[in-house]
């Protein structure tokens, strides 16, 4: 039972530990895709499972060391692997489904042809095959003033222009979700039948601070999480705008990749340091040479700091390269 974007912060903010917050985000964040041709995973399939999981997370938040030991590996630098480790912990120790196996390789003539992310048994006895994808794409338009063209999955590109949503979608649907129906999987002896589902979370970023008005591609989930992106020049102009009435009351923070999941909270000491560095960060981003995710924090009613929004600053030449990459879809 994923939560609408408006409710997600309330669910996640009850937890203090960063790793527990990331796990809660994976479980409750809206799906990036609509339920349609692709069956979507439902990690919490009932109100009872939702309530039991929130209670379990609350207990884990009070004593998170076992989760840290499982997921906080200093050698672990890939966000997708980190997300997999969190879901594996939930399936192994949480109150909902039961983990049967994870990262199951399929081989043909000693060559790996795929790997099933998760094999599990739901509370009702149904055996499920989950493929996990956590993606962050920037929406790129065609560069003219005609906004009548509907968005397409190919308009969503990875910040480093090495990934595109239509390509990822095709790979997941035509290859990954079909692994448990292959003869190579049957030979492994896992008793079925298996129902394949896609567990897909993330955030999509739209051009401009008013990008929330852009109509997404029809395959995109209605409640998907949104962010914004600006070029370095647009960022510089936004900095100079008198409409930014929060001024020094807002802190800008560069988000390292491993902090791309749940929103963060800042205590007073951390916020004081970040506010003092915020101006330098904003200036440095005016000449960024690579897309950089940042978050804006504002002071809340308790005196702490909460995340207000998240976006990317991209080099001025990035949109032209991104349009070419999107157009290569044909």
């Amino acid at each position: 039972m994923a939560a609408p974007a408006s409710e997600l912060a309330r669910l996640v903010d009850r937890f203090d530990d960063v790793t527990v917050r990331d796990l809660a985000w994976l479980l409750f964040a809206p799906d990036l895709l609509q339920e349609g041709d692709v069956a979507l995973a439902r990690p919490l399939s009932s109100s009872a499972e939702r309530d039991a999981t929130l209670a379990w997370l609350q207990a884990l938040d009070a004593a998170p060391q076992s989760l840290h030991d499982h997921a906080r590996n200093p050698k672990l630098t890939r966000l997708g692997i980190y997300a997999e480790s969190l879901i594996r912990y939930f399936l192994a120790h949480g109150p909902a489904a039961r983990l049967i196996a994870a990262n199951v390789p399929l081989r043909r003539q000693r060559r790996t042809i795929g790997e099933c992310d998760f094999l599990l048994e739901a509370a009702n006895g149904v055996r499920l095959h989950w493929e996990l994808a956590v993606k962050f794409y920037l929406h790129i338009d065609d560069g003219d003033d005609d906004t009548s063209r509907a968005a397409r999955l190919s308009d969503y590109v990875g910040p480093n222009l090495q990934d595109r949503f239509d390509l990822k979608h095709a790979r997941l649907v035509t290859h990954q979700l079909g692994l448990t129906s292959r003869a190579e999987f049957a030979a492994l002896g896992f008793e079925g039948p298996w129902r394949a589902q896609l567990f897909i979370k993330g955030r999509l970023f739209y051009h401009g601070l008013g990008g929330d008005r852009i109509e997404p591609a029809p395959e995109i989930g209605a409640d998907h999480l949104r962010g914004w992106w600006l070029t370095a020049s647009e960022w510089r102009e936004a900095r100079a705008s008198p409409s930014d009435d929060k001024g020094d009351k807002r802190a800008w923070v560069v988000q390292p990749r491993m902090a791309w999941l749940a929103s963060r909270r800042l205590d007073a000491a951390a916020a004081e340091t970040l506010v003092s560095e915020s101006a330098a960060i904003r200036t440095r981003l005016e000449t960024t040479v690579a897309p950089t995710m940042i978050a804006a924090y504002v002071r809340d009613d308790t005196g702490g700091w909460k995340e207000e929004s998240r976006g990317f600053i991209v080099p001025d030449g990035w949109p032209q390269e991104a349009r070419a990459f999107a157009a290569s879809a044909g």
Side-chain angles (χ1 to χ4, degrees):
M1 301 176 68
S6 58
E7 187 186 358
L8 181 63
R10 182 183 63 81
L11 289 169
V12 171
D13 279 350
R14 67 181 67 191
F15 307 115
D16 295 321
D17 182 79
V18 168
T19 313
V20 174
R21 289 170 70 90
D22 283 342
L23 174 53
W25 184 91
L26 285 168
L27 295 175
F28 290 105
D31 299 298
L32 277 190
L33 293 172
Q34 298 270 17
E35 183 85 59
D37 295 337
V38 178
L40 298 178
R42 294 288 176 253
L44 308 174
S45 59
S46 68
S47 297
E49 285 191 356
R50 175 191 174 101
D51 293 344
T53 296
L54 285 170
W56 175 76
L57 287 168
Q58 198 71 56
L60 189 62
D61 193 46
Q65 190 58 50
S66 62
L67 178 62
H68 294 178
D69 293 343
H70 178 81
R72 287 190 174 182
N73 184 340
K75 296 181 181 179
L76 193 155
T77 58
R78 290 179 56 190
L79 187 62
I81 301 299
Y82 171 60
E84 282 188 9
S85 74
L86 294 175
I87 297 301
R88 187 165 61 249
Y89 185 91
F90 168 71
L91 292 175
H93 303 284
R98 178 180 69 88
L99 178 66
I100 296 174
N103 305 121
V104 178
L106 276 65
R107 295 187 176 91
R108 179 192 299 159
Q109 298 177 345
R110 300 182 180 179
R111 183 175 64 88
T112 300
I113 59 174
E115 185 176 274
C116 300
D117 286 347
F118 300 104
L119 303 177
L120 58 137
E121 185 174 88
N124 61 3
V126 175
R127 294 205 154 193
L128 302 174
H129 161 213
W130 282 355
E131 286 297 315
L132 175 66
V134 182
K135 306 304 295 182
F136 299 84
Y137 292 115
L138 283 66
H139 174 267
I140 186 73
D141 57 28
D142 54 14
D144 57 30
D145 294 329
D146 181 11
T147 58
S148 62
R149 179 178 68 77
R152 303 165 298 192
L153 280 185
S154 57
D155 295 330
Y156 296 87
V157 300
N160 294 323
L161 304 182
Q162 297 177 344
D163 187 16
R164 211 171 58 211
F165 207 168
D166 62 318
L167 300 176
K168 183 64 177 181
H169 182 271
R171 173 72 176 176
L172 288 166
V173 172
T174 63
H175 181 72
Q176 293 298 119
L177 289 177
L179 290 175
T180 43
S181 63
R182 298 181 67 118
E184 294 84 357
F185 178 81
L188 298 176
F190 290 102
E191 183 179 352
W194 296 91
R195 184 179 301 172
Q197 297 177 334
L198 179 59
F199 193 127
I200 185 162
K201 307 289 182 175
R203 190 184 297 263
L204 303 178
F205 298 81
Y206 295 86
H207 187 204
L209 297 178
D212 56 344
R213 295 189 294 271
I214 296 173
E215 189 70 22
E219 299 92 341
I220 301 298
D223 290 322
H224 72 281
L225 298 179
R226 290 178 179 247
W228 48 267
W229 66 266
L230 297 172
T231 65
S233 292
E234 290 168 337
W235 170 250
R236 184 168 53 250
E237 293 171 5
R239 279 194 64 195
S241 172
S243 63
D244 185 2
D245 58 2
K246 291 189 178 178
D248 293 338
K249 298 178 182 178
R250 180 186 285 119
W252 296 96
V253 181
V254 173
Q255 295 287 104
R257 183 173 291 272
M258 299 302 287
W260 283 14
L261 301 184
S263 62
R264 302 301 196 240
R265 286 201 305 252
L266 304 176
D267 59 28
E272 183 177 351
T273 299
L274 289 170
V275 168
S276 66
E277 297 174 350
S278 188
I281 290 172
R282 294 177 68 172
T283 300
R284 188 170 72 246
L285 288 169
E286 292 179 6
T287 56
T288 186
V289 296
T292 303
M293 185 192 285
I294 63 173
Y297 289 82
V298 294
R299 193 184 300 275
D300 62 22
D301 295 336
T302 67
W305 292 69
K306 65 180 181 179
E307 186 176 312
E308 177 190 47
S309 70
R310 202 175 281 194
F312 273 93
I313 308 302
V314 302
D316 286 344
W318 184 90
Q320 182 176 356
E321 296 177 14
R323 291 187 188 101
F325 184 45
S328 66

